[in-house]
């Protein structure tokens, strides 16, 4: 899922996004709730109509941004009071308010609000935080949504497998009464060593219900996507492909490429000769290098089109390989090319 | 002609530009000659291929930018020495070098290098400058171009009709030997009062050869376009529509609109209800106001698509009205709407 923080995947139109072909995009509850405000978006028929995107939208709970962007946070059992990062105005987010915003936005997949513990929290504190997240999950489940909206539960527990299992068991108790439409793994890719994250995924993802989508939040790089898919993950979101694009860092089937590099100044070949996106069909590295050096807006757009096309294309190819029972070979070839070929 | 200064009409792709539908776009010889360099563009098959634009391109001579952007200028009969505004490197532009750059860029319409006198130059100095421009025009005419390239002559003379007539007579002498493909009016819209510019146009445009395109350089606003067309102008270029778009100032059939204005915050109507561009078909003012307040890149793109579509559409409608012998009514209605209706 490309990330459309403020009601736009930065720098590209919905028509360009449709060509890129993601199945779902992500909208940010925190940002949209503050500006332009969920009531205004509802007035305009919901986020799909407001931003001109007809495909599915997942909205996050807003929790991650409250814990990373907002200031003067004060946690209570009821929710979290904070100051807006935009104008310092006092705000309050609770499980109910998060889902009210998401109901107003009219997204297709809603996320239940969780506390977002930092990457390496002390175990005893983490347990207290997770117990609250479970109580919040029960409150979330009770909030009525629009008929087309589904609710995902978020699993926490850092890199402690036993905590994750306990947390999942609690979610499944709630699920037995009213089913969730999917399960997300949160609290990874937040600073812990990559091998610790991977060890958790390798053990834990398969324990999430197989009949519902499994969503790994905030991941990631092409390598991370491939590893996640290998473990059974169905959904990912990450700003990395679009953010890297705006910095001239290009993802390709032959590994990463830095467009700023002088060796691309005269290069009359596409960013990725194996890519069929609009950017690769139409423009040379020399032209894109020129746009980047000039700081031209079009450079951000064209790089974003490519990086998102590459990332979405990678997941699509992985899916096809899974359907045809040749995923291991696909993953091996992809990794070998990233590591050995020169982009 | 939308302006593509550095090999891109700022913020939009060639595909979006094609949908907008201008017949010609403009590239800047000064900018492209410095970066990425005309030799590099030639290596890549010319500007059309380099920037992915298949339609006609007009390149200016570079003179205007040398006289407005570059520093430490030193004029001689041979040409003008200056320092690049990018890195201070010493550069030299002559009639021959200007056309060499344009030949390398491979544009369809080339402009002969002229001295660009400031708006209100003393008459005696202006005459000296114009005499040099005429000598430069003769040198320009002698430079071989690519087979598909045409050369336009530029007329100077400020707001002095007699100087313009004298200058045109000199150009027509050259034209009798080897014809120019068009004639441009330069040195207007450079700070002189609007009524003085219009008085010159009202008298002078009709004296330019009727069998060749007449090009009014650096103009302009919707009002200026309509006035120019009324006098017989065929071609215009101006950064105004795209630059204004990036500042949230929107051109509409009901006059100008400032997207920043709080009254657009909740407005569920397009920028211009009479416009059929992608932006107006797809997005509300409320959404565009939101993008603008957030400083989102997509806002620049969508506003540019609209302002260029509006401007190109205005000239297309004017052309149709001329073909159907109803231009005066068309112009009157357009002006009345700009002046009396609320956008």
């Amino acid at each position: 899922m490309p990330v459309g923080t403020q009601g736009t995947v930065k720098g590209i139109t919905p028509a360009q996004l449709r060509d890129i072909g993601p199945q779902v995009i992500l909208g940010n509850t925190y940002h949209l709730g503050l500006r332009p405000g969920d009531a205004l978006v509802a007035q305009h028929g919901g986020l799909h109509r407001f931003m001109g995107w007809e495909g599915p939208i997942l909205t996050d709970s807003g929790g991650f941004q409250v814990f990373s962007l907002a200031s003067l946070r004060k946690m209570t059992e009821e929710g979290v009071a904070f100051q807006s990062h935009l104008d310092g105005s006092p705000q309050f987010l609770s499980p109910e308010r998060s889902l009210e915003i998401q109901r107003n936005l009219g997204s297709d997949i809603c996320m239940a609000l969780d506390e977002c513990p930092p990457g390496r929290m002390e175990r005893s504190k983490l347990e207290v935080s997770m117990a609250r997240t479970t109580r919040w999950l029960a409150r979330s489940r009770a909030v009525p949504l629009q008929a087309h909206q589904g609710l995902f539960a978020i699993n926490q527990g850092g890199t402690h497998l036993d905590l994750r299992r306990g947390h999942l068991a609690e979610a499944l108790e709630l699920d037995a009464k009213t089913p969730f439409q999917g399960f997300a793994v949160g609290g990874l890719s937040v600073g812990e060593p990559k091998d610790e994250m991977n060890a958790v995924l390798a053990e834990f993802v398969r324990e999430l219900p197989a009949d519902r989508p499994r969503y790994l939040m905030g991941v990631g790089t092409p390598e991370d996507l491939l590893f996640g898919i290998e473990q059974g993950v169905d959904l990912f979101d990450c700003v990395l492909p679009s953010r890297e694009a705006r910095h001239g860092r290009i993802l390709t089937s032959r590994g990463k490429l830095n467009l700023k590099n002088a060796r691309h100044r005269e290069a009359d070949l596409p960013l990725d000769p194996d890519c069929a996106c609009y950017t690769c069909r139409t423009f040379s590295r020399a032209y894109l290098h020129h746009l980047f050096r000039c700081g031209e807006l079009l450079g951000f757009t064209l790089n974003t089109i490519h990086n998102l096309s590459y990332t979405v294309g990678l997941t699509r190819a992985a899916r096809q390989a899974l359907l045809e029972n040749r995923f291991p070979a696909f993953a091996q070839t992809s990794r070998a090319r990233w590591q050995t070929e020169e982009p």
Side-chain angles (χ1 to χ4, degrees), chain A residues 74-81 92-95 113 136 139:
Chain A
K74 192 172 181 322
M75 289 287 305
T76 60
E77 183 62 23
E78 179 57 21
V80 49
F92 190 76
L93 194 68
S94 62
L113 182 67
W136 283 6
R139 283 164 55 186

Side-chain angles (χ1 to χ4, degrees), chain A residues 37 55 90 125 146 154 168-169 198 211 226 295 300 302-303 333 342:
Chain A
K125 284 190 185 166
Q146 294 191 54
I154 304 178
L168 175 59
N198 286 354
D211 60 344
L226 220 48
F300 303 124
L302 296 178
N303 295 346
T333 308
E342 185 71 17

Side-chain angles (χ1 to χ4, degrees), chain A residues 108-182:
Chain A
D108 304 281
I109 304 173
C110 303
M111 302 300 297
L113 182 67
D114 58 343
E115 248 195 83
C116 296
R120 316 227 62 175
M121 193 185 233
E122 207 176 295
R123 188 184 161 104
S124 61
K125 284 190 185 166
L126 185 57
E127 289 182 74
V128 173
S129 160
M130 289 167 64
R132 176 172 280 162
T133 289
T134 300
R135 293 190 297 275
W136 283 6
L137 185 60
R139 283 164 55 186
S140 299
R141 187 65 289 190
V143 177
L145 296 172
Q146 294 191 54
H148 73 281
Q149 295 186 298
L151 182 68
F152 279 29
I154 304 178
N155 183 275
Q156 292 285 356
T159 52
H160 308 282
L161 260 177
D162 60 329
L163 292 187
R164 290 207 173 263
R165 283 175 175 140
H167 200 214
L168 175 59
E170 293 166 344
L172 290 175
E173 270 179 50
L174 288 167
D175 183 66
K177 290 178 223 154
T178 318
F180 294 104
Q181 273 70 48

Side-chain angles (χ1 to χ4, degrees), chain A residues 191-207:
Chain A
E192 76 284 359
K194 178 68 63 85
D195 58 347
E196 289 188 24
M197 166 169 117
N198 286 354
V200 171
L201 292 177
E203 286 296 317
F204 186 67
V205 172
R206 72 175 81 135
E207 300 177 15

Side-chain angles (χ1 to χ4, degrees), chain A residues 59-130:
Chain A
T59 41
D60 62 10
S61 69
F64 186 78
Q65 282 74 29
V66 167
F67 287 92
S68 58
L69 275 182
S71 54
L72 287 181
R73 282 185 303 276
K74 192 172 181 322
M75 289 287 305
T76 60
E77 183 62 23
E78 179 57 21
V80 49
F82 62 95
Q83 286 195 348
S84 159
H85 76 294
L86 293 174
D87 59 7
S89 61
Q91 303 285 340
F92 190 76
L93 194 68
S94 62
E96 291 80 8
R97 173 64 186 136
S98 169
L99 285 171
E100 182 188 40
I101 298 174
Q102 297 180 69
R103 191 172 59 226
N104 275 335
L105 297 176
S107 55
D108 304 281
I109 304 173
C110 303
M111 302 300 297
L113 182 67
D114 58 343
E115 248 195 83
C116 296
R120 316 227 62 175
M121 193 185 233
E122 207 176 295
R123 188 184 161 104
S124 61
K125 284 190 185 166
L126 185 57
E127 289 182 74
V128 173
S129 160
M130 289 167 64

Side-chain angles (χ1 to χ4, degrees), chain A residues 2 17 26 34 36 42-44 48 63 84 147 151 162-163 166-167 169 210 214 232 240-241 248 280 324 329 334:
Chain A
L17 195 53
L26 183 142
L34 290 179
Q43 232 182 74
H44 287 260
H48 294 82
S84 159
L151 182 68
D162 60 329
L163 292 187
H167 200 214
R214 296 151 165 171
L240 181 132
C280 289
E324 295 171 6
S334 301

Side-chain angles (χ1 to χ4, degrees), chain A residues 3-65:
Chain A
V3 176
T5 305
Q6 304 192 102
T8 156
V9 175
K10 287 190 192 302
I12 62 173
T13 66
Q16 290 166 333
L17 195 53
R18 200 181 316 120
D19 285 348
I20 294 166
Q23 291 187 318
V24 189
I25 66 166
L26 183 142
N28 279 124
T29 290
Y30 171 88
H31 288 283
L32 293 167
L34 290 179
R35 186 173 65 183
D38 49 301
L40 187 145
V41 175
Q43 232 182 74
H44 287 260
L47 186 56
H48 294 82
R49 181 170 176 272
F50 188 61
M51 69 181 287
W53 170 252
E54 288 156 21
I57 299 175
L58 178 149
T59 41
D60 62 10
S61 69
F64 186 78
Q65 282 74 29

